[in-house]
Amino acid sequence: MAKTGASTKLPRSKGTDMATFYEAKECARKVKYLVLQGQNRRIVDEFMTILERREEFEQHGVPIPNKIVMYGPPGTGKTLTAFYVAASLELPLIVVRLDSLIHSHLGETGSNIRKIFDYARAVPCVLFLDEFDAVARTRESGDEVKEMARAVNTLLQCLDEFGESSLFMAATNLETELDPAIWRRFDTRMTYDLPAASEREHYIRLLIGDFDCEASVEQESCRLLDGCSFADIEQIVLKAKRKAIIERQPLCGSHIRLSHEEYAPVPISIMSHS
Ligand SMILES: Nc1ncnc2c1ncn2[C@@H]1O[C@H](COP(=O)(O)OP(=O)(O)OP(=O)(O)O)[C@@H](O)[C@H]1O
Ligand SMILES: [Mg+2]
């Protein structure tokens, strides 16, 4: 379970912690499987290599990358990647709670952002800001509130002064709403998408594991679950397994079909317009 860091206290706002602290071991427990798509696997592996061989990069005067932005539809593994990176680097993960960061008082949001970044400078960690678009909305958009514009400026400064002891990761569904000045601050960008057929198949196989199933079930699920996110697929396969257990039968195509109908995943195109 989440708990407060022992050495330096997490900053607070409105009487609550502005972030949740996860030990590296807790992060490892949360990441049973992570299917990284396309070049994301390579990006993450390269990232780990660089951090393991930090000195060589310092000798060459090549800066260490430590600011990652992830964007793509819901349920595709952005948050999971943050847990994975923290677990792999054996660093705690600090998940910022946006609701407690954003404040209606003048200058308070910016000051909260600064407190969080100060914390990450003092305690080596992976600092993760989810729903990043909420803070980093473009300063040019018409309905921009001045407080948020100020907060964006603070964020830019904090990113510039971040140093090299921690990692900053941010995730968003809405990359078009990000301020271009913010985009430039990131040295690593990762794009997420709904799983392609081969990724679905791989993921479904992992989810089924050694559960007793009919031979055709993997391929049938893969076809049926086209257009679903990884998170949807996980829920549907779990539902189907429950049905199989209730019936004391091997998992079969009809369990998957029924679960898909019941779960009725929301198409991403509808979600993004809501
Ligand atoms: N690429 C993936 N590989 C394995 N499991 C995944 C993947 N993506 C999602 N999942 C499953 O779905 C759950 C939710 O995924 P996650 O929270 O990482 O999505 P997200 O991209 O951060 O979505 P959102 O944009 O809604 O925050 C994960 O905990 C995991 O069980
Ligand atoms: Mg997420």
Side-chain angles (χ1 to χ4, degrees), residues 185-228:
R185 275 14 189 230
F186 289 94
D187 45 55
T188 310
R189 295 173 197 186
M190 290 168 70
T191 312
Y192 290 73
D193 221 327
L194 296 180
S198 61
E199 290 149 358
R200 281 199 304 280
E201 202 177 325
H202 177 51
Y203 189 51
I204 289 165
R205 201 165 292 147
L206 288 172
L207 290 172
I208 294 179
D210 55 11
F211 198 91
D212 189 18
C213 69
E214 285 184 1
S216 61
V217 82
E218 283 168 1
Q219 282 201 337
E220 195 171 341
S221 312
C222 180
R223 219 174 326 114
L224 192 68
L225 304 184
D226 185 10
C228 291

Side-chain angles (χ1 to χ4, degrees), residues 131-176:
E131 296 170 58
F132 187 54
D133 44 282
V135 189
R137 261 183 240 292
T138 165
R139 284 175 295 186
E140 288 160 16
S141 78
D143 58 352
E144 187 54 87
V145 225
K146 281 193 177 147
E147 172 68 358
M148 289 311 271
R150 264 191 295 271
V152 170
N153 286 334
T154 307
L155 187 62
L156 289 173
Q157 264 173 24
C158 288
L159 286 171
D160 286 341
E161 297 160 5
F162 190 58
E164 287 194 344
S165 57
S166 288
L167 240 73
F168 180 64
M169 297 183 79
T172 175
N173 301 135
L174 308 159
E175 72 268 29
T176 48

Side-chain angles (χ1 to χ4, degrees), residues 22-268:
Y22 297 91
E23 298 282 3
K25 277 196 190 121
E26 289 176 75
C27 296
R29 276 199 296 275
K30 281 189 181 277
V31 193
K32 224 165 143 197
Y33 331 104
L34 172 62
V35 181
L36 281 169
Q37 302 172 292
Q39 44 186 13
N40 288 351
R41 168 60 62 191
R42 198 173 57 238
I43 291 173
V44 168
D45 288 349
E46 194 176 287
F47 205 83
M48 299 301 166
T49 309
I50 295 173
L51 291 170
E52 277 162 18
R53 291 166 46 195
R54 203 175 251 276
E55 296 78 30
E56 282 176 56
F57 289 84
E58 281 160 4
Q59 276 164 16
H60 286 92
V62 175
I64 307 287
N66 67 346
K67 296 183 195 107
I68 304 179
V69 63
M70 301 173 281
Y71 58 94
T76 50
K78 301 181 295 297
T79 301
L80 200 61
T81 305
F83 279 93
Y84 175 80
V85 168
S88 306
L89 295 173
E90 294 178 11
L91 285 175
L93 179 72
I94 312 297
V95 180
V96 178
R97 297 179 46 186
L98 260 190
D99 53 337
S100 59
L101 201 72
I102 294 172
H103 211 287
S104 52
H105 287 175
L106 191 71
E108 196 72 24
T109 308
S111 135
N112 285 342
I113 291 174
R114 198 168 283 288
K115 282 183 205 160
I116 287 280
F117 275 84
D118 285 348
Y119 178 93
R121 263 209 303 251
V123 181
C125 65
V126 175
L127 179 63
F128 177 53
L129 219 164
D130 213 345
E131 296 170 58
F132 187 54
D133 44 282
V135 189
R137 261 183 240 292
T138 165
R139 284 175 295 186
E140 288 160 16
S141 78
D143 58 352
E144 187 54 87
V145 225
K146 281 193 177 147
E147 172 68 358
M148 289 311 271
R150 264 191 295 271
V152 170
N153 286 334
T154 307
L155 187 62
L156 289 173
Q157 264 173 24
C158 288
L159 286 171
D160 286 341
E161 297 160 5
F162 190 58
E164 287 194 344
S165 57
S166 288
L167 240 73
F168 180 64
M169 297 183 79
T172 175
N173 301 135
L174 308 159
E175 72 268 29
T176 48
E177 297 211 15
L178 288 195
D179 188 324
I182 298 225
W183 272 132
R184 260 190 292 114
R185 275 14 189 230
F186 289 94
D187 45 55
T188 310
R189 295 173 197 186
M190 290 168 70
T191 312
Y192 290 73
D193 221 327
L194 296 180
S198 61
E199 290 149 358
R200 281 199 304 280
E201 202 177 325
H202 177 51
Y203 189 51
I204 289 165
R205 201 165 292 147
L206 288 172
L207 290 172
I208 294 179
D210 55 11
F211 198 91
D212 189 18
C213 69
E214 285 184 1
S216 61
V217 82
E218 283 168 1
Q219 282 201 337
E220 195 171 341
S221 312
C222 180
R223 219 174 326 114
L224 192 68
L225 304 184
D226 185 10
C228 291
S229 68
F230 287 99
D232 292 336
I233 294 175
E234 183 183 36
Q235 291 306 319
I236 292 166
V237 171
L238 286 177
K239 225 179 216 308
K241 278 186 175 179
R242 285 185 207 112
K243 290 188 191 301
I245 294 171
I246 291 171
E247 290 176 11
R248 300 202 175 107
Q249 292 292 324
L251 185 68
C252 66
S254 69
H255 293 136
I256 299 280
R257 273 196 304 278
L258 266 179
S259 304
H260 180 244
E261 270 170 43
E262 283 174 21
Y263 182 76
V266 184
I268 296 295

